[in-house]
Amino acid sequence: MNINEIIKAKRDCQELTTEQIEFFIKEYSYGNIADYQASSLLMAIYLNGMSEKEILDLTIAMSKSGDILDLSQIEGIKVDKHSTGGIGDKVTIVVMPLVASLGVPVAKMSGRGLGYTQGTIDKLDSIPGFRTNLELDEFIRNVRKIGISLMGQSENIALADKKLYALRDVTGTVESIPLIASSVMSKKIAAGADKILLEVTCGSGAFMETEIRARKLAETMVKIGNMAGKETIAVVTNMNQPLGRFCGNALEVKEAIDVLSGKGEPDVVEVCCVLGAYMLKMAGKGDNIVTNMRLIQNQIDNGEGLNKFKELIQRQWGDSRVIDEPEMITTAKYKIPVEAKASGYVSAIEAKNIGQAVVNIGGGRFKKEDEIDYAVGIEVLKKIGDTVEKGEPILYIHANDEFKAKAQISFLENSYTIVPEKVEKIKEILDIIE
Ligand code: URA
């Protein structure tokens, strides 16, 4: 068997065999297949797609390319949660303490920012002292002791995905359903949870811009998860605008504290309640989603979710005074308004641009080794369906570098479409795929 044959087979729309897929993943991981050959195969997959069997084979081969975590020392049903990426998506930071406060064990590995999206681990790193680089035994000990731990993804999980993702990022092959599905599910399968809840984002701030493609990705991942023996459910959420009010690492942690304190924006609260309700169901804590949503809301109202977050911060060496004094988390020097170019109703927001602007002012990385400025970000004042007056602020840029911030103004102004006729607010939850 050789890689050239495999590339030609996919180029000619043939179904790859299990052996061919295993060969590719193994030999690429060992460095025996060149990046230009792997890129060529990725592009053939991007253009010609894959069957369900091929996607499952690719997922399993990638999940076996690194460590497979054993969480059996943690009692109870472990439900992992994963988002395909969004703008202002602080759901993990809110929902995990909420479900943990109801007795669901939370052992969650999360990622860093990718492209124009910010990652949970970068956000948590903005809390003074908080450690996300835990050893596996400390991670497991935390869950056994307080019911929750969040850490950065171990370097050794799904090693082939790491290499392939970096290659996809620079070869125009990210937005492929088989490649995204296998990338996400290989990591989730290797991370050792019993069940998987997926948040598949859809819209101008997501990899999947249309509902048809988001649904297809969700259905593919649900099938793959179930075929791999892990019950999987996907919630398709609307990412046509940032979620909540803030985008940026420290700003999102402060907003998460607000949500857990009962002061959250309705869109974030709704998404957290729905995802939390499905996590409770999967963990065997109740089948009725409406009742479960009430249980989650109740943990916000009675402060138990916030207490659990405080316990998590203390346990992972963070300064838990931030819960009562969020201003202890770093704050940017400047707050620069971006103004509406016309009067009317906001009909569309190019959410990706808002994520990209956060990266441009230092809140994300252009290169893996770049340092992040945790304090910076964007505050979203106007959402789809809101009325605006010409010259009124629609966004605030929170920045430490005034020059870089001002350079984003026209880019951000042009990210809003304002029309004269009335526009409806958007729906947050688009579909549930079980
Ligand atoms: N997130 C992933 O982990 N992989 C992808 O391919 C896209 C989003």
Side-chain angles (χ1 to χ4, degrees), residues 93-144:
I93 303 174
V94 176
V95 92
M96 290 319 214
L98 285 168
V99 296
S101 72
L102 287 163
V104 177
V106 170
K108 166 113 183 81
M109 283 194 178
S110 285
R112 297 199 176 273
L114 201 63
Y116 56 83
T117 64
Q118 280 79 54
T120 299
I121 291 303
D122 290 328
K123 295 173 196 178
L124 292 172
D125 279 345
S126 69
I127 301 172
F130 193 85
R131 276 187 44 212
T132 52
N133 59 339
L134 307 181
E135 293 296 331
L136 193 57
D137 56 349
E138 187 179 0
F139 175 63
I140 291 178
R141 240 188 350 263
N142 289 350
V143 185
R144 294 183 67 177

Side-chain angles (χ1 to χ4, degrees), residues 37-71:
Q37 292 171 309
S39 314
S40 173
L41 180 58
L42 290 172
M43 187 54 85
I45 294 172
Y46 181 96
L47 295 173
N48 295 331
M50 278 184 138
S51 67
E52 258 166 34
K53 178 180 167 298
E54 286 176 299
I55 304 175
L56 178 65
D57 285 341
L58 183 59
T59 306
I60 300 297
M62 290 209 293
S63 70
K64 288 187 186 154
S65 66
D67 295 344
I68 307 264
L69 297 195
D70 176 5
L71 301 181

Side-chain angles (χ1 to χ4, degrees), residues 63 65-68 153-159 162 190:
S63 70
S65 66
D67 295 344
I68 307 264
Q153 189 174 296
S154 137
E155 280 298 299
N156 297 329
I157 290 272
L159 285 171
K162 228 169 245 124

Side-chain angles (χ1 to χ4, degrees), residues 305-323:
L306 188 66
N307 286 343
K308 190 50 82 178
F309 188 39
K310 187 170 188 177
E311 228 182 317
L312 170 71
I313 294 174
Q314 269 162 355
R315 182 86 199 165
Q316 294 194 196
W317 315 93
D319 189 336
S320 63
R321 287 176 301 170
V322 299
I323 294 288

Side-chain angles (χ1 to χ4, degrees), residues 165 168 180 183-184 187 207:
Y165 195 92
R168 285 169 56 211
I180 296 179
S183 163
V184 169
K187 287 179 286 225
F207 290 128

Side-chain angles (χ1 to χ4, degrees), residues 72-257:
S72 60
Q73 288 177 55
I74 301 169
E75 271 181 40
I77 302 173
K78 277 81 67 188
V79 186
D80 202 349
K81 170 206 168 272
H82 185 89
S83 163
T84 54
I87 312 297
D89 188 347
K90 63 280 298 170
V91 170
T92 293
I93 303 174
V94 176
V95 92
M96 290 319 214
L98 285 168
V99 296
S101 72
L102 287 163
V104 177
V106 170
K108 166 113 183 81
M109 283 194 178
S110 285
R112 297 199 176 273
L114 201 63
Y116 56 83
T117 64
Q118 280 79 54
T120 299
I121 291 303
D122 290 328
K123 295 173 196 178
L124 292 172
D125 279 345
S126 69
I127 301 172
F130 193 85
R131 276 187 44 212
T132 52
N133 59 339
L134 307 181
E135 293 296 331
L136 193 57
D137 56 349
E138 187 179 0
F139 175 63
I140 291 178
R141 240 188 350 263
N142 289 350
V143 185
R144 294 183 67 177
K145 189 85 187 162
I146 64 162
I148 182 168
S149 191
L150 298 178
M151 70 179 274
Q153 189 174 296
S154 137
E155 280 298 299
N156 297 329
I157 290 272
L159 285 171
D161 175 61
K162 228 169 245 124
K163 265 185 98 173
L164 283 173
Y165 195 92
L167 196 59
R168 285 169 56 211
D169 211 12
V170 292
T171 56
T173 50
V174 170
E175 297 88 348
S176 146
I177 290 176
L179 295 176
I180 296 179
S182 54
S183 163
V184 169
M185 295 309 286
S186 63
K187 287 179 286 225
K188 294 293 105 183
I189 290 168
D194 305 302
K195 302 187 179 188
I196 302 163
L197 178 68
L198 300 166
E199 180 191 358
V200 177
T201 51
C202 167
S204 66
F207 290 128
M208 297 290 112
E209 296 214 355
T210 65
E211 274 189 60
I212 293 180
R213 279 182 56 78
R215 226 169 252 132
K216 176 90 183 103
L217 174 64
E219 283 164 4
T220 306
M221 292 197 288
V222 166
K223 265 197 200 134
I224 299 297
N226 289 327
M227 279 157 83
K230 310 238 181 208
E231 186 197 335
T232 303
I233 295 180
V235 179
V236 182
T237 61
N238 199 333
M239 200 46 79
N240 276 309
Q241 61 188 6
L243 189 64
R245 187 177 173 100
F246 292 96
C247 309
N249 298 290
L251 290 166
E252 289 189 44
V253 171
K254 291 180 203 174
E255 186 175 6
I257 294 171

Side-chain angles (χ1 to χ4, degrees), residues 251-299:
L251 290 166
E252 289 189 44
V253 171
K254 291 180 203 174
E255 186 175 6
I257 294 171
D258 271 350
V259 180
L260 287 167
S261 308
K263 294 179 282 184
E265 301 272 319
D267 59 346
V268 197
V269 175
E270 183 185 350
V271 173
C272 290
C273 284
V274 171
L275 286 162
Y278 276 93
M279 289 190 80
L280 292 182
K281 178 176 174 184
M282 294 173 92
K285 302 276 181 191
D287 281 339
N288 187 311
I289 292 302
V290 176
T291 310
N292 289 358
M293 283 176 70
R294 269 196 223 114
L295 284 174
I296 296 284
Q297 181 65 54
N298 198 37
Q299 296 306 93

